């Protein structure tokens, strides 16, 4: 077992997301980042503020704090825990992965 790998069965996990913008001409830059804690159980359905690389709130064009809506379903892999229902706005591919 690598020293960088940790078993997460049943434990809380802190995830860090970086947010980037994509427009018609392609990727156009870093927007900000956010972090949140998940654990197996109820679906996480929350708004999280976006921060820059220095930990300051990212402000939108209107001068208000920018936030991202996260809907995360974190559960063990296995037939008993899998659902045939796809997350909202996402399609389930034939191989079981999700496609936005």
């Amino acid at each position: 077992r690598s020293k960088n790998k940790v078993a997460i069965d049943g434990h809380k996990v802190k995830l860090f997301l970086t947010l980037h913008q994509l427009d018609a001409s392609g990727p156009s830059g870093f927007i900000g980042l956010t972090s949140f804690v998940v654990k197996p159980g109820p679906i996480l359905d929350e708004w999280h503020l976006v921060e820059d690389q220095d930990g300051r709130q990212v402000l939108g064009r209107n001068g208000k704090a920018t936030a991202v809506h996260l809907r995360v379903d974190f559960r063990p892999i296995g037939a008993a825990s899998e659902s045939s229902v796809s997350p909202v706005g996402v399609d389930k591919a034939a191989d079981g992965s999700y496609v936005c």
Side-chain angles (χ1 to χ4, degrees), residues 12-24:
K12 294 179 186 177
V13 177
K14 187 166 190 174
L15 299 176
F16 297 87
L17 296 179
T18 59
L19 306 167
H20 301 265
Q21 184 171 329
L22 177 67
D23 59 27

Side-chain angles (χ1 to χ4, degrees), residues 1 6-13 38-40 74-77:
R1 181 181 269 209
V6 178
I8 60 172
D9 294 340
H11 298 303
K12 294 179 186 177
V13 177
V38 295
K39 64 180 181 177
F74 177 67
R75 56 188 151 173
I77 296 175

Side-chain angles (χ1 to χ4, degrees), residues 84-97:
S84 61
V85 178
S86 298
V88 175
V90 179
D91 296 320
K92 193 168 187 179
D95 67 358
S97 64

